[in-house]
Amino acid sequence: ENRSAALHPSAVAEAEAKEQQGSFTPATSKTPSIPVTMFYKKSLLKKDGSMPLLLNGYGSYGICEEPVWSNLCTLYADLGFVVATAHIRGGGDLGEPWYQAAKFLTKKRTFYDFIAVAEHLATSGWTSQGNVAIVGGSAGGMLVGACLNLKPSLFKAIVAHVPFVTVLDTMLDGSLPLTPGEFKEWGNPRDAGYFDYMRSYCPYENVDVKNTLLAANANGGKYPSIFATTGLTDYRVGYYEGAKWIARIRAQIKEAKEAKAAGEISEPLVLMETNMAAGHAGASGRFDRLKEVSRDVAFLATEFDLIK
């Protein structure tokens, strides 16, 4: 890993000191092995880079992304996706050290792990660069938002559910009921070192769509499409977080279009839906939930031209 990019300078010094003492663990190694769960339809598999990849991740709070059977995964596999789950640091998939290795001033390890998984699957023929969709919700929404800022050319589409994309604003607002409890995960931006580090990965603070679009246009590329969802009564991640993020992205798209002649910018599709009758977990009714899922499927199938 590139510690200078992923860690706060104080954490870099600590990691290197432990390594010299021989007290590092697989979770803090410079070459960690990230587990990945793969799911695909055998009859459709072609390891020539042509298959679209749907990569899921979370990587926070020590929560494990356990491999479980999912009818939704079979649907995506039938459409032609390779479905993968990256068991990145920050989650608890390989125990407590796996979790502790990516929080506070080492949080960006989570994002670089996720990008490394996508790049490895692309170079090994499971998919190809620019043929990847990433999906995450809540802190996983922060994950996909941060990765979008770090490596937009790697992805084709982003699905972010109730995304925690204004982490800096939220952690600075002590009047919010859940903020004090969240200090145990992200740190307090009022403490030394935390403000700048948190700001360096906060998806909202690092949106750079304008320059990315202009560069992508010059290089013949394009910016990934985005589908974000929020819930009006979400008390964990306010609907306004996703709304601010999408508004900033759309504003920069407009600026990029104004900076170039008409038709010279490949404008990405940027969608947002707010469920006016749901909170953090989305719709609760069986059929209402299926309707929400169907929108994800329709968005991704359309972006990857899989609907015949």
Side-chain angles (χ1 to χ4, degrees), residues 50-113:
S50 63
M51 294 190 71
L53 173 71
L54 178 60
L55 183 61
N56 299 281
Y58 189 76
S60 293
Y61 301 103
I63 293 173
C64 300
E65 290 285 279
E66 298 181 2
V68 295
W69 176 259
S70 166
N71 287 332
L72 182 58
C73 286
T74 62
L75 175 56
Y76 281 121
D78 281 337
L79 284 171
F81 281 98
V82 172
V83 183
T85 299
H87 304 281
I88 49 184
R89 288 176 291 180
D93 304 81
L94 295 184
E96 184 68 12
W98 202 248
Y99 165 47
Q100 295 294 335
K103 62 183 297 190
F104 297 140
L105 297 177
T106 60
K107 185 60 203 173
K108 286 197 281 188
R109 275 178 169 155
T110 301
F111 316 134
Y112 283 104
D113 283 0

Side-chain angles (χ1 to χ4, degrees), residues 26-275:
T28 57
S29 166
K30 280 190 174 181
T31 56
S33 297
I34 312 299
V36 184
T37 301
M38 308 287 291
F39 184 87
Y40 54 88
K41 190 169 184 177
K42 190 174 181 180
S43 62
L44 297 179
L45 181 63
K46 293 181 289 185
K47 288 190 68 175
D48 58 1
S50 63
M51 294 190 71
L53 173 71
L54 178 60
L55 183 61
N56 299 281
Y58 189 76
S60 293
Y61 301 103
I63 293 173
C64 300
E65 290 285 279
E66 298 181 2
V68 295
W69 176 259
S70 166
N71 287 332
L72 182 58
C73 286
T74 62
L75 175 56
Y76 281 121
D78 281 337
L79 284 171
F81 281 98
V82 172
V83 183
T85 299
H87 304 281
I88 49 184
R89 288 176 291 180
D93 304 81
L94 295 184
E96 184 68 12
W98 202 248
Y99 165 47
Q100 295 294 335
K103 62 183 297 190
F104 297 140
L105 297 177
T106 60
K107 185 60 203 173
K108 286 197 281 188
R109 275 178 169 155
T110 301
F111 316 134
Y112 283 104
D113 283 0
F114 198 64
I115 289 171
V117 168
E119 289 179 329
H120 174 74
L121 294 176
T123 56
S124 56
W126 289 97
T127 186
S128 55
Q129 181 164 310
N131 205 23
V132 179
I134 52 176
V135 180
S138 192
M142 177 201 293
L143 168 69
V144 299
C147 291
L148 173 63
N149 291 335
L150 289 169
K151 197 84 173 184
S153 61
L154 184 58
F155 311 114
K156 186 178 181 70
I158 313 295
V159 178
H161 295 301
V162 291
F164 186 32
V165 285
T166 63
V167 56
L168 185 61
D169 287 358
T170 299
M171 299 311 296
L172 283 168
D173 189 351
S175 67
L176 296 173
L178 297 184
T179 292
E182 292 292 312
F183 291 154
K184 295 184 292 183
E185 181 68 20
W186 317 103
N188 186 340
R190 299 183 190 280
D191 292 342
Y194 281 89
F195 181 92
D196 289 338
Y197 187 73
M198 205 175 288
R199 186 176 186 177
S200 73
Y201 68 75
C202 176
Y204 175 77
E205 296 292 337
N206 293 281
V207 169
D208 191 24
V209 182
K210 177 181 177 180
N211 291 328
T212 305
L213 267 178
L214 295 174
N217 181 68
N219 298 327
K222 59 179 295 187
Y223 195 81
S225 296
I226 302 170
F227 177 43
T229 67
T230 61
L232 183 66
T233 57
D234 188 346
Y235 66 91
R236 295 186 188 178
V237 179
Y239 70 91
Y240 46 83
E241 293 200 31
K244 285 173 61 176
W245 181 54
I246 292 298
R248 174 166 280 193
I249 289 171
R250 286 176 172 166
Q252 291 198 14
I253 291 172
K254 182 180 179 182
E255 290 173 6
K257 291 171 68 177
E258 291 173 348
K260 286 285 186 177
E264 289 189 11
I265 290 293
S266 179
E267 182 176 353
L269 178 66
V270 179
L271 303 173
M272 177 180 162
E273 178 185 54
T274 299
N275 190 323

